[in-house]
Amino acid sequence: MLATATLTAEKNAYEVALENFDLAANALELDNNVRAMIKYPERELTVSVPVRMDSGKIVRFVGYRVQHSTQRGPAKGGIRFHPNVTIDEVRALATWMTWKCAVVNIPYGGGKGGITCNPKEMSMGELERMTRRYASAILPIIGPEKDIPAPDVYTTPQIMAWIMDTYSMMKGYPVTGVVTGKPISLGGSLGRNEATGRGVFYTIRSSCQNLGIPFQGARTVVQGFGNAGSIAATLMHEAGAKVIAVSDTRGCIFNPRGLDVLAVVEFKKRTGSVTGFPGAEKITADELLALDCEVLIPAALENAITVDNAHTIRARIVAEAANGPVTPDADRIFDEKCVFLIPDILCNAGGVTVSYFEWVQDENHLFWDENDVNAKLEKIMVRSFNDVFKIHVERKVNMRLAANMVGVGRVAEACRVRGLYP
Ligand code: GLU
Protein backbone atom coordinates (compact mmCIF):
# COMPACT_ATOMS: atom_id res chain seq x y z
CA MET A 1 0.00 0.00 0.00
CA LEU A 2 1.25 3.51 -0.78
CA ALA A 3 1.24 5.90 2.18
CA THR A 4 -1.84 7.99 2.90
CA ALA A 5 -1.63 11.62 4.00
CA THR A 6 -0.61 12.37 7.56
CA LEU A 7 -2.85 14.63 9.59
CA THR A 8 -1.96 16.86 12.50
CA ALA A 9 -4.76 18.18 14.68
CA GLU A 10 -4.41 21.63 13.08
CA LYS A 11 -4.98 20.48 9.50
CA ASN A 12 -8.26 21.78 8.05
CA ALA A 13 -10.35 20.29 5.22
CA TYR A 14 -8.60 22.31 2.52
CA GLU A 15 -5.14 21.29 3.68
CA VAL A 16 -6.35 17.69 3.64
CA ALA A 17 -7.67 18.15 0.08
CA LEU A 18 -4.31 19.57 -1.08
CA GLU A 19 -2.39 16.77 0.59
CA ASN A 20 -4.58 14.10 -0.99
CA PHE A 21 -4.05 15.80 -4.36
CA ASP A 22 -0.27 15.55 -3.89
CA LEU A 23 -0.52 11.85 -3.07
CA ALA A 24 -2.53 11.18 -6.23
CA ALA A 25 -0.26 13.38 -8.36
CA ASN A 26 2.80 11.53 -7.03
CA ALA A 27 1.27 8.12 -7.66
CA LEU A 28 0.42 9.25 -11.22
CA GLU A 29 3.92 10.74 -11.62
CA LEU A 30 2.23 13.90 -12.83
CA ASP A 31 4.25 16.59 -14.55
CA ASN A 32 4.94 19.67 -12.34
CA ASN A 33 3.55 22.03 -14.99
CA VAL A 34 0.22 20.20 -15.01
CA ARG A 35 0.15 20.15 -11.19
CA ALA A 36 0.61 23.93 -11.12
CA MET A 37 -2.38 24.34 -13.44
CA ILE A 38 -4.92 22.04 -11.78
CA LYS A 39 -4.18 22.01 -8.04
CA TYR A 40 -5.59 25.35 -6.83
CA PRO A 41 -8.98 27.08 -7.27
CA GLU A 42 -9.31 29.09 -10.48
CA ARG A 43 -11.59 31.76 -9.01
CA GLU A 44 -12.88 32.71 -5.55
CA LEU A 45 -15.56 35.24 -4.69
CA THR A 46 -16.41 36.48 -1.18
CA VAL A 47 -19.60 38.49 -0.86
CA SER A 48 -21.33 40.52 1.82
CA VAL A 49 -24.96 39.47 2.26
CA PRO A 50 -26.95 42.05 4.22
CA VAL A 51 -30.42 40.78 5.19
CA ARG A 52 -33.36 42.58 6.80
CA MET A 53 -34.44 40.21 9.56
CA ASP A 54 -38.09 39.90 10.65
CA SER A 55 -37.32 42.16 13.63
CA GLY A 56 -36.37 45.01 11.27
CA LYS A 57 -32.69 44.72 12.17
CA ILE A 58 -30.18 44.28 9.31
CA VAL A 59 -27.69 41.44 9.78
CA ARG A 60 -24.68 41.04 7.49
CA PHE A 61 -23.79 37.48 6.52
CA VAL A 62 -20.71 36.42 4.54
CA GLY A 63 -21.05 34.19 1.48
CA TYR A 64 -18.60 32.48 -0.86
CA ARG A 65 -18.47 30.87 -4.28
CA VAL A 66 -15.29 29.04 -5.24
CA GLN A 67 -14.67 27.66 -8.73
CA HIS A 68 -11.89 25.16 -8.35
CA SER A 69 -11.80 23.95 -11.94
CA THR A 70 -13.40 24.50 -15.33
CA GLN A 71 -10.93 22.26 -17.21
CA ARG A 72 -13.52 19.61 -18.16
CA GLY A 73 -16.64 21.82 -18.28
CA PRO A 74 -18.53 24.42 -16.22
CA ALA A 75 -17.89 24.51 -12.46
CA LYS A 76 -20.47 22.41 -10.60
CA GLY A 77 -21.33 21.99 -6.95
CA GLY A 78 -23.68 22.76 -4.12
CA ILE A 79 -24.29 25.67 -1.79
CA ARG A 80 -24.11 25.08 1.97
CA PHE A 81 -25.87 27.12 4.66
CA HIS A 82 -24.17 26.27 7.97
CA PRO A 83 -22.61 28.07 10.96
CA ASN A 84 -19.22 26.41 10.33
CA VAL A 85 -18.83 27.52 6.70
CA THR A 86 -15.39 29.10 6.07
CA ILE A 87 -13.52 29.96 2.88
CA ASP A 88 -11.20 26.98 3.44
CA GLU A 89 -14.14 24.59 3.86
CA VAL A 90 -15.66 25.89 0.61
CA ARG A 91 -12.27 25.54 -1.14
CA ALA A 92 -11.99 21.93 0.03
CA LEU A 93 -15.54 21.08 -1.05
CA ALA A 94 -14.98 22.77 -4.45
CA THR A 95 -11.75 20.80 -4.95
CA TRP A 96 -13.51 17.53 -4.13
CA MET A 97 -16.26 18.37 -6.65
CA THR A 98 -13.62 18.59 -9.42
CA TRP A 99 -12.29 15.10 -8.75
CA LYS A 100 -15.84 13.77 -8.10
CA CYS A 101 -17.19 14.93 -11.48
CA ALA A 102 -14.12 13.43 -13.15
CA VAL A 103 -14.51 10.08 -11.30
CA VAL A 104 -18.06 9.67 -12.67
CA ASN A 105 -16.84 11.15 -15.97
CA ILE A 106 -19.48 13.85 -16.41
CA PRO A 107 -18.47 17.01 -18.32
CA TYR A 108 -18.04 19.39 -15.39
CA GLY A 109 -15.34 21.00 -13.33
CA GLY A 110 -15.85 21.66 -9.62
CA GLY A 111 -17.21 24.49 -7.51
CA LYS A 112 -18.91 25.10 -4.18
CA GLY A 113 -20.62 27.92 -2.34
CA GLY A 114 -21.74 28.68 1.15
CA ILE A 115 -23.05 31.21 3.61
CA THR A 116 -21.95 31.24 7.25
CA CYS A 117 -25.35 31.25 8.98
CA ASN A 118 -27.68 29.13 11.07
CA PRO A 119 -30.69 28.41 8.85
CA LYS A 120 -32.40 26.51 11.70
CA GLU A 121 -32.84 29.83 13.51
CA MET A 122 -34.16 31.74 10.48
CA SER A 123 -37.73 32.22 9.24
CA MET A 124 -38.70 31.34 5.65
CA GLY A 125 -38.82 35.05 4.81
CA GLU A 126 -35.32 35.66 6.18
CA LEU A 127 -33.98 32.62 4.31
CA GLU A 128 -35.55 33.79 1.06
CA ARG A 129 -34.14 37.32 1.38
CA MET A 130 -30.68 35.96 2.25
CA THR A 131 -30.75 33.50 -0.67
CA ARG A 132 -31.85 36.13 -3.20
CA ARG A 133 -29.26 38.68 -2.06
CA TYR A 134 -26.52 36.03 -2.19
CA ALA A 135 -27.70 34.88 -5.65
CA SER A 136 -27.54 38.42 -7.01
CA ALA A 137 -24.06 38.89 -5.48
CA ILE A 138 -22.63 35.78 -7.18
CA LEU A 139 -24.67 36.30 -10.37
CA PRO A 140 -21.73 37.58 -12.49
CA ILE A 141 -19.89 34.27 -12.18
CA ILE A 142 -22.74 31.70 -12.36
CA GLY A 143 -24.80 30.51 -15.34
CA PRO A 144 -25.65 27.27 -17.16
CA GLU A 145 -22.45 27.46 -19.19
CA LYS A 146 -20.21 28.80 -16.39
CA ASP A 147 -21.05 27.49 -12.94
CA ILE A 148 -24.15 25.61 -11.81
CA PRO A 149 -25.03 25.55 -8.07
CA ALA A 150 -27.12 22.84 -6.38
CA PRO A 151 -28.28 21.83 -2.88
CA ASP A 152 -25.85 20.81 -0.15
CA VAL A 153 -26.09 20.78 3.67
CA TYR A 154 -29.27 22.65 4.78
CA THR A 155 -30.18 23.93 1.31
CA THR A 156 -33.32 22.66 -0.43
CA PRO A 157 -35.20 22.56 -3.77
CA GLN A 158 -37.12 25.68 -2.61
CA ILE A 159 -33.84 27.55 -2.12
CA MET A 160 -32.76 26.47 -5.64
CA ALA A 161 -36.08 27.83 -6.98
CA TRP A 162 -35.33 31.25 -5.40
CA ILE A 163 -31.86 31.28 -7.00
CA MET A 164 -33.34 30.34 -10.39
CA ASP A 165 -35.97 33.09 -10.05
CA THR A 166 -33.47 35.77 -8.97
CA TYR A 167 -31.12 34.89 -11.83
CA SER A 168 -33.99 34.79 -14.35
CA MET A 169 -35.46 38.13 -13.25
CA MET A 170 -32.08 39.81 -13.67
CA LYS A 171 -31.56 38.24 -17.11
CA GLY A 172 -35.11 39.02 -18.23
CA TYR A 173 -36.03 35.47 -19.27
CA PRO A 174 -36.34 32.10 -17.50
CA VAL A 175 -33.05 30.20 -17.12
CA THR A 176 -33.83 26.83 -15.55
CA GLY A 177 -30.35 25.40 -16.22
CA VAL A 178 -28.62 27.84 -13.82
CA VAL A 179 -29.19 25.54 -10.82
CA THR A 180 -29.97 21.86 -10.29
CA GLY A 181 -31.88 20.17 -7.50
CA LYS A 182 -34.89 22.36 -8.34
CA PRO A 183 -38.51 21.38 -7.59
CA ILE A 184 -39.97 19.10 -10.30
CA SER A 185 -42.50 21.83 -11.18
CA LEU A 186 -39.62 24.09 -12.24
CA GLY A 187 -37.53 21.82 -14.47
CA GLY A 188 -36.16 19.61 -11.70
CA SER A 189 -35.37 15.99 -12.56
CA LEU A 190 -37.28 13.01 -11.30
CA GLY A 191 -34.97 11.01 -9.04
CA ARG A 192 -32.68 13.97 -8.16
CA ASN A 193 -33.86 14.14 -4.55
CA GLU A 194 -33.04 10.45 -3.98
CA ALA A 195 -29.92 10.37 -6.18
CA THR A 196 -27.19 10.79 -3.55
CA GLY A 197 -28.60 8.04 -1.32
CA ARG A 198 -29.27 5.83 -4.33
CA GLY A 199 -25.67 6.21 -5.52
CA VAL A 200 -24.42 5.34 -2.02
CA PHE A 201 -26.54 2.18 -2.14
CA TYR A 202 -25.15 1.14 -5.55
CA THR A 203 -21.54 1.55 -4.41
CA ILE A 204 -22.19 -0.48 -1.23
CA ARG A 205 -23.82 -3.24 -3.29
CA SER A 206 -20.81 -3.33 -5.64
CA SER A 207 -18.44 -3.43 -2.64
CA CYS A 208 -20.30 -6.38 -1.09
CA GLN A 209 -20.16 -8.25 -4.42
CA ASN A 210 -16.43 -7.66 -4.84
CA LEU A 211 -15.53 -8.44 -1.22
CA GLY A 212 -17.78 -11.50 -0.97
CA ILE A 213 -19.88 -10.00 1.85
CA PRO A 214 -23.52 -11.17 1.69
CA PHE A 215 -25.77 -8.14 1.16
CA GLN A 216 -28.85 -9.87 2.54
CA GLY A 217 -28.97 -9.22 6.27
CA ALA A 218 -25.85 -6.99 6.19
CA ARG A 219 -25.95 -5.03 9.44
CA THR A 220 -25.90 -1.33 8.57
CA VAL A 221 -25.34 1.75 10.73
CA VAL A 222 -26.12 5.27 9.48
CA GLN A 223 -24.70 8.42 11.08
CA GLY A 224 -26.80 11.41 9.94
CA PHE A 225 -30.41 11.05 8.84
CA GLY A 226 -30.72 13.93 6.38
CA ASN A 227 -31.34 13.54 2.65
CA ALA A 228 -28.41 11.22 1.81
CA GLY A 229 -28.48 9.16 5.04
CA SER A 230 -32.22 8.56 5.24
CA ILE A 231 -32.52 7.57 1.58
CA ALA A 232 -29.46 5.31 1.64
CA ALA A 233 -30.92 3.66 4.78
CA THR A 234 -34.32 3.20 3.10
CA LEU A 235 -32.80 1.60 -0.02
CA MET A 236 -30.54 -0.68 2.05
CA HIS A 237 -33.57 -1.79 4.09
CA GLU A 238 -35.75 -2.37 1.01
CA ALA A 239 -32.99 -4.43 -0.65
CA GLY A 240 -32.68 -6.77 2.36
CA ALA A 241 -29.91 -5.29 4.50
CA LYS A 242 -30.58 -4.87 8.24
CA VAL A 243 -30.35 -1.25 9.40
CA ILE A 244 -29.60 -1.59 13.12
CA ALA A 245 -28.84 2.01 14.13
CA VAL A 246 -29.30 5.56 12.87
CA SER A 247 -28.61 9.01 14.32
CA ASP A 248 -29.26 12.70 13.78
CA THR A 249 -28.03 15.88 15.53
CA ARG A 250 -30.31 15.15 18.52
CA GLY A 251 -29.31 11.54 19.22
CA CYS A 252 -28.89 7.89 18.18
CA ILE A 253 -31.26 4.89 18.15
CA PHE A 254 -30.36 1.19 18.05
CA ASN A 255 -32.24 -2.06 17.57
CA PRO A 256 -30.08 -5.17 17.00
CA ARG A 257 -33.04 -6.95 15.34
CA GLY A 258 -33.24 -4.18 12.74
CA LEU A 259 -35.17 -0.92 12.52
CA ASP A 260 -38.28 -0.43 10.40
CA VAL A 261 -36.60 2.32 8.38
CA LEU A 262 -39.78 3.56 6.68
CA ALA A 263 -41.37 4.00 10.11
CA VAL A 264 -38.26 5.89 11.33
CA VAL A 265 -38.50 8.22 8.30
CA GLU A 266 -42.20 8.84 9.11
CA PHE A 267 -41.38 9.37 12.78
CA LYS A 268 -38.69 11.94 11.97
CA LYS A 269 -41.01 13.75 9.57
CA ARG A 270 -43.60 14.01 12.36
CA THR A 271 -41.38 14.83 15.37
CA GLY A 272 -38.31 16.43 13.79
CA SER A 273 -35.89 13.76 15.07
CA VAL A 274 -35.21 10.02 15.14
CA THR A 275 -34.79 10.14 18.93
CA GLY A 276 -37.66 8.66 20.90
CA PHE A 277 -38.55 6.20 18.12
CA PRO A 278 -40.55 3.44 19.83
CA GLY A 279 -38.93 0.03 20.14
CA ALA A 280 -35.35 1.27 19.86
CA GLU A 281 -32.67 1.75 22.47
CA LYS A 282 -30.96 5.12 22.95
CA ILE A 283 -27.16 4.98 22.52
CA THR A 284 -24.38 7.57 22.41
CA ALA A 285 -22.70 8.87 19.25
CA ASP A 286 -19.46 7.04 20.18
CA GLU A 287 -21.34 3.78 20.76
CA LEU A 288 -23.07 4.12 17.38
CA LEU A 289 -19.79 4.40 15.47
CA ALA A 290 -18.32 1.45 17.38
CA LEU A 291 -21.20 -0.96 16.69
CA ASP A 292 -20.37 -4.40 15.30
CA CYS A 293 -21.71 -4.23 11.72
CA GLU A 294 -20.91 -4.91 8.08
CA VAL A 295 -21.60 -1.39 6.75
CA LEU A 296 -21.14 2.02 8.39
CA ILE A 297 -22.45 5.05 6.49
CA PRO A 298 -21.18 8.41 7.78
CA ALA A 299 -23.74 10.77 6.23
CA ALA A 300 -23.31 13.95 8.27
CA LEU A 301 -20.35 16.36 8.06
CA GLU A 302 -16.55 16.42 7.71
CA ASN A 303 -14.26 14.94 10.38
CA ALA A 304 -16.73 12.47 11.90
CA ILE A 305 -14.09 9.72 12.02
CA THR A 306 -10.63 10.86 13.11
CA VAL A 307 -7.49 9.50 14.75
CA ASP A 308 -9.45 9.64 18.04
CA ASN A 309 -12.18 7.15 17.14
CA ALA A 310 -11.08 5.29 13.97
CA HIS A 311 -9.66 2.41 16.04
CA THR A 312 -13.14 1.81 17.57
CA ILE A 313 -14.75 1.14 14.15
CA ARG A 314 -15.80 -2.49 13.68
CA ALA A 315 -17.51 -2.15 10.26
CA ARG A 316 -16.12 -4.07 7.26
CA ILE A 317 -17.19 -1.33 4.83
CA VAL A 318 -17.31 2.43 5.50
CA ALA A 319 -19.33 4.30 2.85
CA GLU A 320 -18.73 8.06 2.83
CA ALA A 321 -22.16 9.51 2.01
CA ALA A 322 -20.97 12.85 3.47
CA ASN A 323 -18.08 14.85 2.03
CA GLY A 324 -14.84 14.37 3.97
CA PRO A 325 -16.15 12.45 7.03
CA VAL A 326 -12.97 10.33 7.40
CA THR A 327 -9.67 12.16 7.98
CA PRO A 328 -6.35 11.00 6.44
CA ASP A 329 -5.10 9.71 9.82
CA ALA A 330 -8.28 7.66 10.13
CA ASP A 331 -7.69 6.39 6.55
CA ARG A 332 -4.30 5.06 7.69
CA ILE A 333 -5.89 3.29 10.66
CA PHE A 334 -8.51 1.79 8.30
CA ASP A 335 -5.70 0.47 6.07
CA GLU A 336 -4.12 -1.25 9.08
CA LYS A 337 -7.47 -2.71 10.18
CA CYS A 338 -8.42 -3.69 6.58
CA VAL A 339 -11.60 -1.61 6.68
CA PHE A 340 -12.82 -1.15 3.09
CA LEU A 341 -13.52 2.55 2.46
CA ILE A 342 -15.79 3.80 -0.32
CA PRO A 343 -14.43 7.36 -0.68
CA ASP A 344 -16.80 10.35 -0.83
CA ILE A 345 -15.90 11.41 -4.39
CA LEU A 346 -17.14 8.01 -5.57
CA CYS A 347 -19.71 7.09 -2.90
CA ASN A 348 -21.83 10.26 -2.94
CA ALA A 349 -21.37 11.15 -6.63
CA GLY A 350 -24.94 10.03 -7.47
CA GLY A 351 -26.21 13.51 -6.49
CA VAL A 352 -24.11 15.43 -8.97
CA THR A 353 -24.65 12.73 -11.60
CA VAL A 354 -28.42 13.28 -11.56
CA SER A 355 -27.76 17.05 -11.37
CA TYR A 356 -26.01 16.55 -14.70
CA PHE A 357 -29.09 14.70 -16.03
CA GLU A 358 -31.27 17.58 -14.80
CA TRP A 359 -29.11 20.18 -16.60
CA VAL A 360 -29.15 18.10 -19.80
CA GLN A 361 -32.96 17.82 -19.63
CA ASP A 362 -33.33 21.58 -18.96
CA GLU A 363 -31.03 22.53 -21.83
CA ASN A 364 -32.91 20.18 -24.19
CA HIS A 365 -36.41 21.00 -22.84
CA LEU A 366 -37.09 17.28 -22.88
CA PHE A 367 -37.74 15.29 -19.71
CA TRP A 368 -37.08 11.67 -18.84
CA ASP A 369 -39.14 9.31 -16.69
CA GLU A 370 -37.83 8.18 -13.32
CA ASN A 371 -36.91 4.65 -14.41
CA ASP A 372 -34.74 6.12 -17.14
CA VAL A 373 -32.97 8.42 -14.68
CA ASN A 374 -32.35 5.59 -12.19
CA ALA A 375 -31.13 3.17 -14.86
CA LYS A 376 -28.65 5.72 -16.23
CA LEU A 377 -27.49 6.54 -12.69
CA GLU A 378 -26.95 2.86 -11.87
CA LYS A 379 -24.88 2.38 -15.01
CA ILE A 380 -22.61 5.33 -14.20
CA MET A 381 -22.19 4.39 -10.52
CA VAL A 382 -21.34 0.75 -11.29
CA ARG A 383 -18.91 1.75 -14.06
CA SER A 384 -17.22 4.33 -11.82
CA PHE A 385 -16.94 1.88 -8.94
CA ASN A 386 -15.28 -0.63 -11.30
CA ASP A 387 -12.85 2.03 -12.64
CA VAL A 388 -11.72 2.87 -9.10
CA PHE A 389 -11.69 -0.74 -7.84
CA LYS A 390 -9.48 -1.74 -10.77
CA ILE A 391 -6.81 0.84 -9.80
CA HIS A 392 -7.14 -0.26 -6.14
CA VAL A 393 -6.35 -3.86 -7.13
CA GLU A 394 -3.80 -3.25 -9.89
CA ARG A 395 -1.79 -0.53 -8.15
CA LYS A 396 -2.28 -1.94 -4.62
CA VAL A 397 -3.43 1.44 -3.26
CA ASN A 398 -6.34 2.13 -0.95
CA MET A 399 -9.70 3.14 -2.42
CA ARG A 400 -9.23 6.84 -1.46
CA LEU A 401 -6.00 7.08 -3.42
CA ALA A 402 -7.43 5.01 -6.28
CA ALA A 403 -10.42 7.38 -6.64
CA ASN A 404 -8.19 10.45 -6.48
CA MET A 405 -5.92 8.92 -9.12
CA VAL A 406 -8.90 8.39 -11.46
CA GLY A 407 -10.25 11.92 -10.84
CA VAL A 408 -6.97 13.83 -10.92
CA GLY A 409 -5.76 11.76 -13.90
CA ARG A 410 -8.80 12.71 -16.01
CA VAL A 411 -8.49 16.42 -15.17
CA ALA A 412 -4.75 16.30 -15.92
CA GLU A 413 -5.45 14.73 -19.30
CA ALA A 414 -7.99 17.48 -20.16
CA CYS A 415 -5.43 20.08 -19.09
CA ARG A 416 -2.72 18.50 -21.25
CA VAL A 417 -4.82 18.50 -24.42
CA ARG A 418 -6.19 22.03 -23.84
CA GLY A 419 -2.72 23.46 -23.23
CA LEU A 420 -2.02 26.81 -21.58
CA TYR A 421 -3.66 30.06 -22.69
CA PRO A 422 -2.23 32.37 -24.00
N1 GLU B 1 -23.80 18.95 -2.93
C1 GLU B 1 -23.73 17.72 -3.64
C2 GLU B 1 -22.32 17.16 -3.60
O1 GLU B 1 -21.56 17.45 -2.70
C3 GLU B 1 -24.33 17.81 -5.04
C4 GLU B 1 -23.68 18.79 -5.97
C5 GLU B 1 -24.43 18.99 -7.29
O2 GLU B 1 -25.42 18.32 -7.53
O3 GLU B 1 -23.97 19.83 -8.06
O4 GLU B 1 -21.94 16.36 -4.41
Side-chain angles (χ1 to χ4, degrees):
M1 291 271 169
L2 288 180
T4 49
T6 47
L7 182 78
T8 61
E10 299 83 50
K11 220 164 263 174
N12 70 27
Y14 184 49
E15 291 164 325
V16 169
L18 292 178
E19 196 162 336
N20 276 324
F21 168 84
D22 289 336
L23 289 171
N26 291 344
L28 291 164
E29 296 176 25
L30 216 62
D31 183 75
N32 277 337
N33 290 336
V34 173
R35 290 186 198 213
M37 284 177 67
I38 68 172
K39 180 172 176 178
Y40 300 101
E42 290 174 13
R43 186 181 277 129
E44 301 182 352
L45 183 62
T46 300
V47 294
S48 205
V49 188
V51 179
R52 194 180 307 280
M53 306 304 277
D54 293 343
S55 65
K57 188 174 151 208
I58 293 176
V59 174
R60 175 202 180 247
F61 297 92
V62 177
Y64 309 97
R65 185 73 189 171
V66 172
Q67 296 169 351
H68 175 262
S69 176
T70 55
Q71 286 285 353
R72 301 178 68 257
K76 183 84 191 81
I79 290 173
R80 177 174 292 200
F81 288 176
H82 194 274
N84 297 346
V85 166
T86 62
I87 183 68
D88 266 354
E89 186 192 49
V90 179
R91 284 176 179 141
L93 292 162
T95 307
W96 290 330
M97 286 309 301
T98 302
W99 318 135
K100 187 186 299 184
C101 292
V103 164
V104 285
N105 216 352
I106 56 178
Y108 287 137
K112 203 81 170 200
I115 304 180
T116 316
C117 65
N118 190 350
K120 288 189 176 174
E121 287 174 356
M122 296 172 73
S123 69
M124 280 295 266
E126 289 167 342
L127 266 179
E128 176 172 358
R129 291 192 291 279
M130 183 178 76
T131 302
R132 288 185 181 277
R133 180 66 189 230
Y134 168 75
S136 59
I138 64 166
L139 186 128
I141 67 164
I142 63 170
E145 64 299 305
K146 294 198 273 193
D147 180 358
I148 306 128
D152 195 76
V153 174
Y154 297 148
T155 49
T156 58
Q158 175 62 69
I159 290 172
M160 297 307 114
W162 291 329
I163 296 175
M164 177 272 173
D165 183 67
T166 304
Y167 187 90
S168 300
M169 294 315 290
M170 295 181 78
K171 288 284 169 187
Y173 52 90
V175 187
T176 49
V178 65
V179 282
T180 58
K182 296 179 295 296
I184 304 296
S185 54
L186 196 62
S189 176
L190 294 168
R192 173 62 187 88
N193 191 48
E194 297 76 26
T196 307
R198 186 171 283 279
V200 170
F201 162 70
Y202 290 140
T203 60
I204 293 170
R205 200 186 54 187
S206 287
S207 302
C208 286
Q209 281 161 1
N210 280 284
L211 302 175
I213 298 172
F215 186 91
Q216 292 305 312
R219 291 164 302 165
T220 302
V221 172
V222 184
Q223 182 212 36
F225 211 65
N227 172 286
S230 65
I231 288 162
T234 303
L235 292 170
M236 292 292 290
H237 174 76
E238 284 174 353
K242 189 160 82 176
V243 178
I244 57 170
V246 302
S247 72
D248 60 23
T249 48
R250 298 212 207 139
C252 315
I253 56 168
F254 171 55
N255 182 340
R257 291 180 308 282
L259 294 160
D260 177 350
V261 178
L262 297 178
V264 178
V265 169
E266 269 312 305
F267 184 82
K268 173 151 184 159
K269 219 178 261 166
R270 204 154 34 81
T271 65
S273 174
V274 299
T275 54
F277 180 73
E281 190 186 320
K282 223 177 145 200
I283 56 171
T284 68
D286 290 340
E287 285 166 350
L288 175 116
L289 290 175
L291 284 171
D292 189 14
C293 62
E294 278 69 48
V295 182
L296 170 63
I297 308 178
L301 289 171
E302 296 98 83
N303 296 347
I305 301 171
T306 68
V307 67
D308 297 327
N309 57 4
H311 58 276
T312 69
I313 305 294
R314 284 192 280 168
R316 299 274 313 274
I317 295 171
V318 172
E320 289 187 315
N323 288 310
V326 178
T327 66
D329 263 358
D331 278 348
R332 191 172 39 73
I333 295 170
F334 281 0
D335 286 346
E336 283 162 11
K337 289 167 58 100
C338 292
V339 173
F340 184 82
L341 179 90
I342 314 173
D344 46 9
I345 61 170
L346 168 67
C347 188
N348 69 33
V352 73
T353 300
V354 177
S355 275
Y356 164 57
F357 297 161
E358 178 174 333
W359 176 79
V360 168
Q361 292 170 79
D362 287 338
E363 296 292 284
N364 288 292
H365 313 284
L366 186 67
F367 290 86
W368 313 344
D369 66 38
E370 192 165 352
N371 287 339
D372 238 17
V373 170
N374 290 344
K376 286 187 167 74
L377 172 64
E378 178 171 9
K379 200 167 155 193
I380 289 185
M381 293 307 297
V382 170
R383 183 191 67 202
S384 306
F385 180 91
N386 290 339
D387 288 349
V388 172
F389 193 77
K390 187 162 178 265
I391 302 283
H392 160 67
V393 172
E394 285 180 3
R395 296 286 306 265
K396 298 188 170 44
V397 295
N398 67 25
M399 286 288 283
R400 169 101 54 216
L401 183 49
N404 280 317
M405 286 169 71
V406 172
V408 171
R410 285 183 180 151
V411 177
E413 178 52 23
C415 173
R416 246 191 307 270
V417 291
R418 278 180 70 157
L420 174 61
Y421 170 87

